[in-house]
Amino acid sequence: MNRIGCLIIGLLVMSGCSGSFNHQGKTPLVEVGDAFLYKEDLDAALPVGIHDKDSVRFAEDYIRNWVEDVLLYGKAEGNIPDNEKIDQQVAAYRRALIMHTYQEELVRQKLGTEVSEEEIEAYYEAHAAQFRAEQPYIQGLFMKVPVQTRNLNRVRNWYKRNTQDAIDGLEKFSIAHAVSYEYFYDRWRPVSEFALKMPLEALETDMDYLKRNKNVEVRDTVYCYFLHVEQFLPKGDLLPLEYAKNEIKEMIINLKRVAFINQIKNDLYREASENNDIIYYKPDNE
């Protein structure tokens, strides 16, 4: 028998039969006052794949924490004068949680998460001012190779040219020699990413540095870094649709969700009004 089993058996022996209390088929391990910790709760809390020695330690800690929480709760409950206020807060939280759960389930069933390309494009065109670049973006390629790599002159020739033979040459060279090779002619990347990848202070201090310098080569004691800028998007310009697409999708889903929930509330209110289920009382002092 494993150690966790022995621990549980020991607890069962110490706890006895816990009187005539109805445990609804569960196996009690610990009793404090009128609170019970059950074997089933401990089993459910055990992490998946935990080993024998660790499981015993986990069980001991879990049981100790449970006992301490029960004792602290009992002490606190007897020393908090305004339990009615807490009951009201708990009731308000329960009510809000039930409504939220119901709303989310309705949204999941009725709306889902699908947003068409036409919706995304229409939102993008109607709210273009929201999608201004907060920093410069670039398209191009980046390569990082050890300083001692042979034939670096080939890289110097290839990385500046957006031609198929140059790209093929770089890709083959990168397989054998590069620590990092990133081709991003087809997508926009923030300049700040490359400020972290390259030892070039100008990328941090001069936002338009890569607008003036399309081909950058720098080195430190270990690596050579090559960056080619095919396209440059200045700060403040409109972000391309493909870059803003995920953000727009989330915005549209949220707008649909809000509209859907408001419609449900309006329908419920109208139905209750038509059925005379809402009674307004006039204050006595009016």
Side-chain angles (χ1 to χ4, degrees), residues 39-58:
K39 175 182 179 298
E40 291 76 9
D41 298 327
L42 176 59
D43 290 342
L46 282 170
V48 177
I50 191 170
H51 297 297
D52 206 29
K53 183 178 180 181
D54 294 332
S55 67
V56 172
R57 185 181 301 111
F58 178 90

Side-chain angles (χ1 to χ4, degrees), residues 159-161 210 212-217 227-229:
Y159 92 100
K160 300 175 183 179
R161 297 189 288 119
L210 293 181
R212 302 187 304 272
N213 299 274
K214 298 293 187 180
N215 300 297
V216 179
E217 177 186 347
L227 177 64
H228 170 70
V229 179

Side-chain angles (χ1 to χ4, degrees), residues 19-56:
S20 59
F21 189 88
N22 181 10
H23 299 287
Q24 299 181 338
K26 292 186 176 182
T27 308
L29 291 179
V30 185
E31 179 181 358
V32 179
D34 57 357
F36 291 90
L37 174 64
Y38 295 100
K39 175 182 179 298
E40 291 76 9
D41 298 327
L42 176 59
D43 290 342
L46 282 170
V48 177
I50 191 170
H51 297 297
D52 206 29
K53 183 178 180 181
D54 294 332
S55 67
V56 172

Side-chain angles (χ1 to χ4, degrees), residues 59-118:
E60 291 172 344
D61 291 342
Y62 185 89
I63 292 167
R64 175 61 182 264
N65 289 333
W66 181 87
V67 170
E68 290 176 347
D69 284 348
V70 171
L71 293 172
L72 180 60
Y73 174 76
K75 188 71 171 178
E77 188 179 32
N79 286 274
I80 298 297
D82 193 4
N83 276 336
E84 182 178 349
K85 183 177 181 181
I86 292 178
D87 290 341
Q88 291 173 354
Q89 291 175 338
V90 170
Y93 175 76
R94 182 177 184 275
R95 179 182 176 186
L97 182 61
I98 289 174
M99 289 191 297
H100 174 76
T101 303
Y102 175 68
Q103 290 173 3
E104 291 304 307
E105 182 61 23
L106 281 178
V107 168
R108 186 189 66 80
Q109 291 178 6
K110 303 296 184 180
L111 293 183
T113 57
E114 294 300 319
V115 179
S116 69
E117 293 295 322
E118 291 76 13

Side-chain angles (χ1 to χ4, degrees), residues 143-251:
M143 179 177 270
K144 174 182 176 181
V145 296
V147 170
Q148 302 301 326
T149 303
R150 297 178 58 186
N151 299 318
L152 281 181
N153 283 333
R154 293 183 181 179
V155 177
R156 293 186 178 97
N157 180 45
W158 286 328
Y159 92 100
K160 300 175 183 179
R161 297 189 288 119
N162 182 15
T163 61
Q164 192 59 52
D165 64 316
I167 298 301
D168 290 343
L170 281 173
E171 290 180 348
K172 293 176 182 177
F173 190 91
S174 68
I175 293 172
H177 305 290
V179 174
S180 176
Y181 174 70
E182 302 175 33
Y183 176 96
F184 54 100
Y185 278 90
D186 55 346
R187 61 191 186 279
W188 291 95
R189 303 275 293 277
V191 170
S192 58
E193 283 189 20
F194 299 95
L196 298 174
K197 296 175 185 288
M198 303 175 65
L200 183 60
E201 185 178 349
L203 293 185
E204 300 179 13
T205 60
D206 185 354
M207 286 190 174
D208 290 331
Y209 179 83
L210 293 181
K211 183 177 182 179
R212 302 187 304 272
N213 299 274
K214 298 293 187 180
N215 300 297
V216 179
E217 177 186 347
V218 293
R219 66 171 61 196
D220 53 27
T221 57
V222 184
Y223 298 109
C224 282
Y225 306 82
F226 299 92
L227 177 64
H228 170 70
V229 179
E230 184 70 12
Q231 297 288 340
F232 181 86
L233 182 76
K235 176 182 178 181
D237 274 20
L238 186 64
L239 283 171
L241 175 59
E242 63 268 20
Y243 200 89
K245 186 172 290 187
N246 288 336
E247 182 181 354
I248 293 174
K249 181 178 178 181
E250 291 300 319
M251 290 178 174

